[in-house]
Amino acid sequence: MNPTMTVSRRDFIKVVSVAGGGLMLGFRIPAGESIPADGILEPNAWLRIDTNGIVTVIVGRSEMGQGVATAMPMIVAEELEADWSNVTWEQADAHPDKYGNMTTGGSMSVRNFYTRMRTAGATAREMLIAAAAKQWNVEPSACRAEKGMVVHTSGKKLAFGKLVKDAATLPLPTDVKLKDPKDFTILRRSMPRFDTPPKVYATARFCSDMTVPEMVYASIERCPYVGGKATGFDASKARAIPGVNDVIEVNSGIAVIADSTWAAFRGREALNVTWDRGPWSAQSTDTIRAMFVEASKTAGTSGESKGNAQESFESAPTKIEAVYEAPFVAHATMEPMTCIAHVKEGACEIWAPTQSPQGAQYTAAQILGLPIEKVTVHVTLIGGGFGRRLNSDYVDDAVRVSKAVGAPVKIVWTRADDMKHDWYRPGTYNVIKGGLDASGNPVSWMHRVVGPESRGLVMGGSTPPYDIPNLLVDYHIKETGVRLGAWRSVGPSQNAFVIECFVDEMAHAAKKDPFEFRRGMMEKSPRLRRAMEYAAEKAGWGRTLPPGVGQGIAAVESFGSSAAQVAEVSVKDGRLMINRIVTAVDCGPYVNPDTIRAQIESAVAMALSAALKDEITVQDGQIVQSNFDDYRIFTMKDMPAVEVHIMESDEPIGGIGEPALPPTAPAVCNAIFAASGIRIRRLPIRPDDLRKK
Amino acid sequence: MSSIKFTVNGKSRTVEVDPDTPLLWVLRETLGLTGTKYSCGQGLCGSCTVHIDGEAVRSCVTTASLAEGKAITTIEGIAVNRKHPVLQAWISEEVPQCGYCQPGQIMQATALLRKNRKPTDADIDDAMGDVLCRCGTYLRIRKAIHVAAAGGGVK
């Protein structure tokens, strides 16, 4: 047996031999952590196998409904050749490096960890095979792993559980071979999700459901003025509310500390707070728009440029110009923000529904002046993420209040808090121009984006995927004070609306079919073109439709995947009916087809909500909306049929949480045009927009 | 503070609460039954749905005093029967994503099926139309209700 081991350039591997035959090889063994002494095989940070053959996969990303808690185990279990009925999962606590980057966003969990998790499973498989071969005194090459057992060509079998003790004594293998996808029995199957039964039986605990011993509740009254702050408060009535223990000022507002959520909410209602209205108190949606319009009149900072867009536009025989607008939108997760923090002497323990466990750890460490390793962050199930939980503001709240009161604290946000203190998807104002030559080919594209203070959020996805010889995308960033953040699909969520609708306008100006028009300029985007062709085929693009019914198409490359959609709508007497949305997606290798379908249904629902309902507005320096009566979101009644086609593809692995969102609004708007001749250039679509002038 | 008595999931419970306390918080924090969820606090979203004397009711806008003497069923009461057709359909159709709204969805669906053994899509839209789901699981909820109905329905 060759005892050589590789130490990768990043990993520090420590071999410890333990009485009872257990071997722990890990990236770093934290001081004071107990080493399991009863024969657990733990060859890396990602899995443990015990003597009963139970395989626990440690998931280093946050489960927020996107299915990562099942997807990661599927990847490991496939290569491990585990018996799926013996596989379970465990959420990893935050750690600076043991689990790599733990930030859950950008549709990157499966795609960043696919190969790593396969290798982790294959490594354990080879160790188990080596252990069996050693026991049987045979060649490892005469053995294979299959459904939780190692099997020899002679028919001899040993269950994984019987091999872990011996396997744990063996060196880590190098160069493990990964399976041929044609041999997959777990991957590419719709394995039932681990989190489904607990969520159905209501045994699943969200952070908002948790309590810890001695815990108190706290709810913070925040300044309703964007950028404002408290200048004074009268807590006398609040303190008189039964159940209210204390009222203190923290950096984000006035915290009412109570022995129940309801008492904390009542305490806040009884507060009298004076507010400094801050620098944005005269701002409104109208003033923001006026500022954007003014900015759009001059050249912006160049984002992307090719050829001479201005000159080619001026000399183009056909010129099209339009203004497109998209609003600020809120995340509106069904579980409002919450967090539990217990600040102790020299340490802190946190339970957080976070998409950024390491960010939460860092936030607490900074506030408390503690080394990172003294901050424990337990990642809870998340009642809706969509990018909202990438921020650590609710962690900040909980840590500060816990520190102030000297007890564990659960911070509870009301729905109004959540609606008014979000990190919003930026609203943008877009001036867009296109030039066509005499044959109707696009020769010039000029898109000026005006948005609030986040270039990254505003400009993401602003480069069209089309071969247009002259192109200029420029931008103005204007200050608004409104808090901005990543909202599911980020930049593409508003830029794809502009691009895919305007390309459609150019197609119609060229008197060409919008599908063929795009197809003719996608030589540099073959993967996206194939997805678009597939969607068109599956939707029966081009067939004769009755009057008032139309099809619209949109194709968007984002987060490593190609997604194309055909929307079929009818517009009658100013009423829009969306009959169906047909989606084709190429995400390369895929893990769980049913989860992919679910993610696409989900993305389409959220996209349609943003196309037809969602809108955050500002008035007198305040966010106007407060609850689901004035911030309307999609309901079951609104939901059309969604057809999903997952393409078989040899392309590199892409994401799936977000890519199906950007094409939806433009596909629908393009379909509205086809059905009615009405061109939508502003979201959300209002009933008046659908009445012919 | 008042002494308020009602039945929860078949058990008689007496709680000492301000009678104006929403039933939602009595269930979640006084009784520790956290299956019923807080999401809007204004009866707009349905996450807090329970059954009171068999009817679907939004517990966040129902005071403890209004619930006095009544028989309340929460998701925990439904889930005692793991083989409940609605729960089984929710699992077989892989309905939940984040899962936060699902207890409310299940409570509303169960109440519907008790009254209407074979609801049409329009019946389902009417009954379920204002139980909100930000993850957009609506198509699967509708399908699961049909599956549960086809399987013999709910008593």
Side-chain angles (χ1 to χ4, degrees):
Chain A
M1 187 63 71
N2 184 352
T4 55
M5 286 199 288
T6 51
V7 179
S8 78
R9 63 186 187 280
R10 267 178 40 224
D11 309 338
F12 170 62
I13 298 187
K14 193 167 179 166
V15 177
V16 176
S17 101
V18 173
L23 182 78
M24 174 112 129
L25 301 106
F27 292 85
R28 245 184 16 212
I29 299 173
E33 185 171 306
S34 67
I35 296 166
D38 53 1
I40 307 271
L41 174 62
E42 198 164 352
N44 49 54
W46 309 111
L47 80 156
R48 269 196 323 264
I49 309 173
D50 69 16
T51 52
N52 294 314
I54 301 297
V55 178
T56 305
V57 176
I58 317 302
V59 177
R61 290 287 166 100
S62 311
E63 175 58 68
M64 49 186 177
Q66 85 284 44
V68 72
T70 307
M72 299 298 197
M74 282 176 67
I75 300 168
V76 172
E78 178 69 69
E79 293 292 345
L80 174 59
E81 301 285 3
D83 176 351
W84 183 249
S85 64
N86 284 341
V87 178
T88 185
W89 77 291
E90 194 175 277
Q91 180 68 57
D93 281 352
H95 192 280
D97 45 61
K98 187 174 175 189
Y99 308 106
N101 182 351
M102 301 181 77
T103 305
T104 309
S107 306
M108 287 205 282
S109 296
V110 166
R111 68 179 158 136
N112 279 8
F113 285 88
Y114 188 62
T115 304
R116 240 184 294 190
M117 299 301 256
R118 288 181 72 187
T119 305
T123 300
R125 178 193 75 219
E126 292 307 314
M127 292 171 85
L128 291 160
I129 288 174
K134 192 171 170 202
Q135 225 182 88
W136 291 325
N137 200 20
V138 300
E139 282 303 311
S141 55
C143 307
R144 69 180 192 283
E146 190 180 272
K147 284 212 175 60
M149 308 216 119
V150 177
V151 182
H152 182 243
T153 46
S154 68
K156 278 194 288 235
K157 292 181 184 199
L158 273 170
F160 283 179
K162 302 268 185 285
L163 293 164
V164 293
K165 275 198 178 113
D166 285 349
T169 68
L170 298 177
L172 281 183
T174 60
D175 274 337
V176 290
K177 204 163 166 285
L178 300 182
K179 287 175 72 168
D180 187 328
K182 68 166 167 46
D183 300 327
F184 285 166
T185 59
I186 295 173
L187 287 176
R188 306 197 181 218
R189 301 256 185 309
S190 297
M191 305 308 280
R193 282 172 53 163
F194 290 143
D195 52 331
T196 298
K199 286 172 178 175
V200 170
Y201 299 141
T203 52
R205 288 268 174 277
F206 294 86
C207 182
S208 45
D209 301 327
M210 291 177 172
T211 57
V212 300
E214 314 294 315
M215 187 183 89
V216 293
Y217 298 79
S219 197
I220 298 174
E221 185 75 7
R222 279 160 235 270
C223 186
Y225 296 95
V226 168
K229 62 182 199 300
T231 51
F233 65 97
D234 174 2
S236 51
K237 290 203 178 77
R239 285 173 194 281
I241 301 281
V244 171
N245 304 336
D246 201 357
V247 180
I248 59 171
E249 185 163 0
V250 289
N251 66 330
S252 51
I254 310 303
V256 174
I257 321 256
D259 60 13
S260 71
T261 300
W262 183 242
F265 286 174
R266 285 191 68 206
R268 278 178 56 190
E269 276 165 20
L271 280 175
N272 208 336
V273 187
T274 48
W275 302 107
D276 175 319
R277 298 184 178 197
W280 304 103
S281 61
Q283 187 165 246
S284 68
T285 294
D286 286 346
T287 64
I288 292 172
R289 185 176 186 275
M291 178 173 65
F292 286 0
V293 171
E294 195 56 36
S296 73
K297 293 174 181 168
T298 58
T301 308
S302 175
E304 182 92 27
S305 112
K306 192 168 66 168
N308 192 326
Q310 183 66 44
E311 215 171 82
S312 57
F313 176 75
E314 275 156 22
S315 60
T318 307
K319 299 177 180 48
I320 313 115
E321 299 187 37
V323 167
Y324 277 82
E325 300 176 66
F328 291 80
V329 292
H331 295 82
T333 60
M334 292 312 288
E335 183 192 29
M337 296 307 110
T338 185
C339 181
I340 299 172
H342 185 187
V343 176
K344 315 168 195 180
E345 186 66 47
C348 180
E349 192 172 7
I350 292 166
W351 292 259
T354 175
Q355 291 174 245
S356 186
Q358 293 154 322
Q361 208 178 21
Y362 180 79
T363 296
Q366 288 293 108
I367 292 168
L368 301 168
L370 287 174
I372 289 275
E373 56 265 22
K374 292 297 184 185
V375 178
T376 303
V377 176
H378 307 293
V379 178
T380 66
L381 285 177
I382 300 177
F386 315 120
R388 175 60 179 91
R389 319 262 188 181
L390 290 168
N391 304 105
S392 297
D393 52 329
Y394 43 90
V395 177
D396 187 294
D397 286 348
V399 168
R400 288 184 195 276
V401 177
S402 177
K403 179 180 176 193
V405 305
V409 170
K410 180 195 276 189
I411 283 288
V412 283
W413 286 41
T414 63
R415 173 56 55 191
D417 293 337
D418 200 277
M419 197 63 77
K420 292 176 181 294
H421 299 278
D422 196 347
W423 301 71
Y424 304 95
R425 196 282 305 268
T428 61
Y429 182 86
N430 302 264
V431 178
I432 187 158
K433 300 179 184 181
L436 302 169
D437 68 17
S439 309
N441 299 313
V443 291
S444 177
W445 175 278
M446 296 200 292
H447 179 188
R448 180 164 299 151
V449 188
V450 186
E453 52 269 66
S454 169
R455 188 196 164 281
L457 296 177
V458 163
M459 289 302 286
S462 56
T463 303
Y466 303 110
D467 315 322
I468 302 173
N470 301 282
L471 174 143
L472 174 65
V473 184
D474 68 351
Y475 62 93
H476 291 281
I477 295 296
K478 306 302 290 180
E479 299 274 298
T480 63
V482 176
R483 217 158 65 157
L484 305 170
W487 185 93
R488 191 176 190 176
S489 80
V490 204
S493 77
Q494 78 269 40
N495 284 317
F497 161 62
V498 182
I499 293 168
E500 285 301 293
C501 285
F502 194 68
V503 163
D504 213 70
E505 291 204 54
M506 289 175 84
H508 285 286
K511 299 203 179 355
K512 291 183 180 174
D513 173 279
F515 164 65
E516 294 297 346
F517 184 76
R518 285 173 173 79
R519 206 156 165 240
M521 52 179 182
M522 290 173 88
E523 208 181 290
K524 296 200 183 78
S525 307
R527 185 182 185 181
L528 185 62
R529 193 193 69 234
R530 279 196 300 273
M532 189 182 70
E533 288 164 350
Y534 200 61
E537 181 199 317
K538 292 295 181 187
W541 179 267
R543 70 182 194 283
T544 315
L545 295 163
V549 180
Q551 280 186 325
I553 196 161
V556 182
E557 186 88 41
S558 70
F559 305 99
S561 293
S562 297
Q565 288 175 356
V566 173
E568 222 161 76
V569 315
S570 66
V571 180
K572 197 174 171 185
D573 302 324
R575 267 193 73 225
L576 171 69
M577 292 267 300
I578 303 173
N579 303 330
R580 62 175 181 153
I581 305 283
V582 177
T583 303
V585 71
D586 174 352
C587 55
Y590 56 86
V591 171
N592 189 319
D594 191 62
T595 302
I596 292 178
R597 273 192 290 276
Q599 282 303 287
I600 291 171
E601 290 161 8
S602 176
V604 167
M606 201 154 181
L608 290 174
S609 193
L612 292 160
K613 302 202 171 199
D614 291 45
E615 187 176 17
I616 284 288
T617 58
V618 179
Q619 189 59 50
D620 301 326
Q622 303 178 64
I623 300 294
V624 171
Q625 288 72 28
S626 65
N627 211 311
F628 292 119
D629 50 357
D630 52 12
Y631 188 85
R632 298 195 154 245
I633 65 171
F634 232 47
T635 72
M636 184 188 280
K637 287 180 175 162
D638 306 310
M639 192 72 195
V642 177
E643 290 173 26
V644 175
H645 301 282
I646 304 167
M647 295 168 73
E648 295 297 328
S649 150
D650 293 324
E651 295 284 356
I653 190 165
I656 199 58
E658 294 162 288
L661 200 152
T664 310
V668 167
C669 291
N670 294 339
I672 289 171
F673 183 79
S676 67
I678 295 169
R679 175 55 68 183
I680 299 292
R681 295 196 178 119
R682 182 189 61 167
L683 298 180
I685 303 169
R686 295 150 174 79
D688 265 354
D689 297 338
L690 297 168
R691 293 192 184 104
K692 282 207 213 278
K693 309 220 175 351
Chain B
M1 287 286 247
S2 290
S3 202
I4 298 182
K5 189 169 163 183
F6 37 55
T7 310
V8 182
N9 299 329
K11 264 206 203 113
S12 178
R13 307 297 301 254
T14 305
V15 293
E16 304 292 325
V17 294
D18 181 322
D20 289 337
T21 308
L23 178 63
L24 172 66
W25 297 113
V26 177
L27 292 169
R28 284 181 60 76
E29 290 180 4
T30 314
L31 297 177
L33 294 167
T34 57
T36 309
K37 305 301 186 204
Y38 167 74
S39 183
C40 77
Q42 291 184 10
L44 298 165
C45 76
S47 288
C48 68
T49 305
V50 297
H51 297 165
I52 298 188
D53 292 341
E55 298 288 318
V57 172
R58 297 198 169 183
S59 63
C60 75
V61 289
T62 304
T63 57
S65 59
L66 275 178
E68 180 150 33
K70 305 268 190 336
I72 300 160
T73 307
T74 69
I75 184 68
E76 288 89 346
I78 300 289
V80 164
N81 174 14
R82 293 298 204 239
K83 295 279 179 235
H84 191 292
V86 172
L87 304 184
Q88 286 302 302
W90 244 249
I91 291 171
S92 67
E93 295 305 313
E94 293 282 352
V95 176
Q97 289 190 26
C98 87
Y100 193 78
C101 77
Q102 297 299 331
Q105 303 282 358
I106 289 168
M107 295 309 282
Q108 189 77 15
T110 313
L112 164 67
L113 285 168
R114 243 191 237 125
K115 291 201 168 120
N116 184 341
R117 310 206 71 204
K118 278 262 168 347
T120 60
D121 278 353
D123 294 334
I124 293 170
D125 275 2
D126 270 340
M128 307 295 296
D130 48 9
V131 188
L132 302 178
C133 172
R134 194 54 160 161
C135 296
T137 66
Y138 300 125
L139 297 175
R140 292 179 183 232
I141 291 171
R142 201 188 280 141
K143 179 136 189 262
I145 291 172
H146 284 306
V147 167
V154 168
K155 290 186 189 42

